[in-house]
Amino acid sequence: MAFKFRQLQYFVAVADTGSISGAAQQLSVSQSTVTEAVKELEADLGVVLIERSGRGMALTRPGQIFLRRAERVLEAVADARRSLGDEADISGRLMIGVTALVAGYVLSDLLARFRRAHPAVDVAAIEDTSDYLEHLLINGELDVAVMIMPDRPVDPALRMEILGETPYRIWLPQGHRLAAMREVPLSELAEETHVVLSIDEIEETTRGFWREHGFRPRVAFRTRSVEAVRSLVGTGAGIAILPDLVYRPWSLEGDRIEARPAVEALPMVKSGIVWRRGSDAGLATTDFIALSRAQRPDRRSFGISDN
């Protein structure tokens, strides 16, 4: 195999941005340059990495597998450069915005890696809603935000990249009658008592798919605490429909919580990074974004557009 480092960069950029044009913009090269690099990489590897059709493009199974390896190569090279001192002296202040779910389940690992790489950078974080964090980014009061992506386009002044996405599942107490099913029809949940998590647009999303399927569930508890949801479900006070991002099989009290997929398609929760377009991002910001990309979980099989 004689593939080049540049080809890996271009292939990962296509996957990161979701399109050939997005990769070209990120890399400041022409679209034809990106397309040719990906074709050369496929020829060197002897496999098809991206399937092209009239509907756009999508990573093949070999493409998804190779992507994980390619990202590790790029990250290893970046780490090697940092070890030589190219970025070891980065200092200053990094202001990060974060939404509630991300604060507890995504941000900690990112911050740990960033602090190990740049101990001289003073990092501060603020937790708020996605709307308010976007406002702070546009005003230049934040450098970057890590958030649950809203079900709407972000402001054109901002740039967004998805780090990962996770499906909703049905949370049940151990021994619940529905736990015997491999997949649970939503119609079986209509008469159940529900526990609702009311942060990061979770409740709004939940209401949306209930309306779509014509149900109005009985809500016994609303809470902003994921641990409270676990405790309530674990003790049989109700069931919940929540993303896998926050699932754990045990409550703090030691009660078992089962999770089952629904028969019907449920929404996906997307976590991502957002920053201001055209901003003169400092080294701390650009490196935090790079580490976030490298940290992203294994992708689902997603579509990539040509545009």
Side-chain angles (χ1 to χ4, degrees), residues 65-87:
I65 294 171
F66 185 73
L67 177 61
R68 295 194 289 270
R69 274 59 175 187
E71 288 177 324
R72 289 170 188 165
V73 170
L74 298 185
E75 183 181 356
V77 171
D79 286 342
R81 286 174 174 167
R82 282 192 288 270
S83 71
L84 295 175
D86 291 346
E87 299 177 5

Side-chain angles (χ1 to χ4, degrees), residues 27-39:
L27 298 163
S28 299
V29 298
S30 68
Q31 293 186 39
S32 60
T33 299
V34 176
T35 300
E36 188 62 29
V38 173
K39 288 181 178 178

Side-chain angles (χ1 to χ4, degrees), residues 41-58:
L41 181 60
E42 290 178 323
D44 288 337
L45 294 172
V47 297
V48 176
L49 301 173
I50 298 174
E51 290 181 334
R52 300 157 179 85
S53 69
R55 294 177 296 176
M57 308 171 69

Side-chain angles (χ1 to χ4, degrees), residues 16-307:
D16 278 345
T17 62
S19 69
I20 295 292
S21 61
Q25 182 180 5
Q26 182 186 96
L27 298 163
S28 299
V29 298
S30 68
Q31 293 186 39
S32 60
T33 299
V34 176
T35 300
E36 188 62 29
V38 173
K39 288 181 178 178
E40 290 173 354
L41 181 60
E42 290 178 323
D44 288 337
L45 294 172
V47 297
V48 176
L49 301 173
I50 298 174
E51 290 181 334
R52 300 157 179 85
S53 69
R55 294 177 296 176
M57 308 171 69
L59 289 179
T60 62
R61 178 61 179 165
Q64 294 176 48
I65 294 171
F66 185 73
L67 177 61
R68 295 194 289 270
R69 274 59 175 187
E71 288 177 324
R72 289 170 188 165
V73 170
L74 298 185
E75 183 181 356
V77 171
D79 286 342
R81 286 174 174 167
R82 282 192 288 270
S83 71
L84 295 175
D86 291 346
E87 299 177 5
D89 296 327
I90 290 179
S91 60
R93 185 173 177 83
L94 178 67
M95 287 294 300
I96 303 173
V98 61
T99 50
L101 283 187
V102 165
Y105 297 91
V106 178
L107 184 65
S108 57
D109 287 342
L110 291 177
L111 284 184
R113 293 190 64 209
F114 183 82
R115 286 189 170 116
R116 285 197 298 269
H118 304 301
V121 175
D122 179 19
V123 181
I126 178 173
E127 178 186 309
D128 217 301
T129 65
S130 57
D131 286 341
Y132 188 61
L133 294 182
E134 288 180 38
H135 168 74
L136 295 179
L137 285 167
I138 292 170
N139 287 348
E141 298 175 62
L142 291 177
D143 298 306
V144 64
V146 187
M147 63 172 69
I148 298 297
M149 297 289 101
D151 293 328
R152 54 171 174 76
V154 297
D155 190 286
L158 301 175
R159 181 170 177 182
M160 173 190 77
E161 287 191 19
I162 302 298
L163 295 178
E165 60 180 26
T166 181
Y168 278 75
R169 287 197 295 171
I170 300 156
W171 292 16
L172 305 163
Q174 189 173 32
H176 194 282
R177 64 182 182 86
L178 298 178
M181 298 182 178
R182 294 184 62 184
E183 295 182 334
V184 180
L186 289 181
S187 59
E188 292 284 346
L189 307 179
E191 300 304 319
E192 295 286 336
T193 299
H194 288 250
V195 180
V196 174
L197 184 66
S198 55
I199 58 174
D200 277 1
E201 303 181 356
I202 297 297
E203 183 173 8
E204 180 182 338
T205 300
T206 304
R207 285 176 180 166
F209 61 71
W210 277 116
R211 283 195 302 268
E212 180 183 346
H213 293 281
F215 298 118
R216 188 174 182 178
R218 293 185 294 117
V219 177
F221 302 94
R222 284 186 173 86
T223 176
R224 296 181 59 83
S225 167
V226 179
E227 293 301 340
V229 174
R230 289 197 188 100
S231 294
L232 289 165
V233 172
T235 56
I239 67 170
I241 306 178
L242 289 174
D244 269 356
L245 176 68
V246 297
Y247 174 71
R248 302 291 184 272
W250 303 97
S251 71
L252 289 177
E253 296 77 17
D255 294 309
R256 175 78 181 182
I257 300 166
E258 305 286 349
R260 298 289 183 271
V263 172
E264 297 83 357
L266 295 182
M268 303 287 283
V269 170
K270 300 177 182 179
S271 59
I273 50 174
V274 184
W275 67 98
R276 191 157 50 108
R277 290 183 184 273
S279 61
D280 185 17
L283 290 176
T285 301
T286 55
D287 203 58
F288 181 83
I289 294 170
L291 285 173
S292 300
R293 290 168 176 157
Q295 184 81 350
R296 76 182 58 191
D298 292 346
R299 295 173 178 81
R300 77 289 185 204
S301 179
F302 58 87
I304 302 174
S305 68
D306 278 311
N307 300 314

